[in-house]
Amino acid sequence: MTTVREGLRDAVPVIIGYLTLGTAAGALLVAQRLDWWWAAVWSLVIYSGTMQILLVPLVAAGAPLAAIALSTLFVSGRHVFYGLGFPLNRVRGRLVTRLYAVHAITDEVYALLASKDRTRMSGRYLLTVEAVSHASWCLGTCVGALAGSWLASVVGERIELLGFVLTSLFVVLVIESWRSNPDRAVASLGVLAGATGLAVGGSATLLVALGVLAAGLSALYLWRVRTGHRPAPAPDDAADTALAPSREQPC
């Protein structure tokens, strides 16, 4: 894992996913009557698929800048920890190069790199994976935005029906989160936070929901630490635990 070719090879799954989701994100952007070139600007500067999709209705609704900033902090704040766990010592060169290496870390890129042996990865390999992934996202959003502009001229206001992309994205995320961690308390907090946000309504919907969720999760974590309570394991984990030999018995 030292050459550009190896980086291109390993980044193929991320490229395919980013081209697909990026196209939908770009189409959603123009569906809200925003200029297509915003797709390129946001993809270069923000580079967070979830936040870019969330930003579309926020900007279209004229949400205050403070609300957008706080929403970004809640949604994309995890990227800071990605940078802390990134093998930055493998990236050589100027400060700009090292800063880009941190900026270009996303969920998928981090998951890909975390599965590799960091002692065998070169800076060239890391930057290749990041750069081609970033480029594929930019390309996907621009293609989607341009295609959306064409669709808007053909179907008119019905292009706004592409807003289902945002709902579909979060439905998939919820399903995957539940399958990997079926925590009823966390799910209940999510429902409560969403209901509270909808009750408040307006441009503060998302901000209120995220604030309630953050406060609830913090309280739940502190309670579990104090009481020593642990959530029930996922079905697969429970099955593995049941099948595993006891430590007190010889294998």
Side-chain angles (χ1 to χ4, degrees):
M1 294 178 290
T2 58
T3 64
V4 172
R5 182 177 181 180
E6 290 170 328
L8 291 172
R9 177 199 62 196
D10 291 345
V12 168
V14 179
I15 294 173
I16 295 174
Y18 278 4
L19 287 174
T20 304
L21 183 59
T23 300
L28 177 62
L29 184 144
V30 297
Q32 295 293 335
R33 300 179 180 178
L34 296 173
D35 293 330
W36 72 268
W37 50 267
W38 279 112
V41 175
W42 288 357
S43 296
L44 288 172
V45 179
I46 302 174
Y47 190 32
S48 173
T50 304
M51 192 58 218
Q52 282 186 235
I53 294 178
L54 281 175
L55 187 60
V56 173
L58 289 175
V59 172
L65 183 59
I68 295 176
L70 287 176
S71 299
T72 304
L73 178 63
F74 279 118
V75 174
S76 300
R78 66 187 185 279
H79 289 194
V80 175
F81 299 96
Y82 290 164
L84 294 175
F86 185 76
L88 189 60
N89 61 314
R90 294 288 172 177
V91 180
R92 308 295 181 183
R94 300 179 179 180
L95 178 62
V96 175
T97 303
R98 296 165 65 87
L99 289 176
Y100 176 77
V102 176
H103 168 69
I105 303 175
T106 60
D107 296 336
E108 294 75 16
V109 171
Y110 185 83
L112 174 63
L113 297 178
S115 65
K116 309 293 183 181
D117 183 359
R118 66 172 57 196
T119 62
R120 297 178 55 195
M121 290 187 292
S122 67
R124 180 180 300 176
Y125 172 86
L126 294 172
L127 289 173
T128 299
V129 171
E130 291 184 314
V132 297
S133 300
H134 195 178
S136 64
W137 176 256
C138 293
L139 177 61
T141 55
C142 289
V143 169
L146 291 172
S149 299
W150 175 75
L151 287 175
S153 64
V154 174
V155 302
E157 294 182 355
R158 293 182 181 180
I159 189 66
E160 295 182 358
L161 294 177
L162 288 174
F164 79 92
V165 172
L166 178 61
T167 304
S168 302
L169 170 64
F170 282 100
V171 168
V172 172
L173 292 176
V174 168
I175 293 174
E176 290 300 321
S177 177
W178 178 259
R179 292 179 62 184
S180 61
N181 184 25
D183 193 325
R184 294 182 179 179
V186 173
S188 299
L189 285 174
V191 173
L192 175 63
T196 304
L198 290 174
V200 173
S203 60
T205 300
L206 179 61
L207 184 59
V208 170
L210 291 175
V212 172
L213 181 61
L217 290 176
S218 299
L220 178 64
Y221 172 78
L222 293 175
W223 177 78
R224 285 178 172 177
V225 169
R226 177 173 297 181
T227 61
H229 174 78
R230 294 183 179 181
D236 293 342
D237 295 338
D240 293 341
T241 302
L243 294 175
S246 173
R247 292 185 179 179
E248 298 179 355
Q249 299 177 357
C251 298

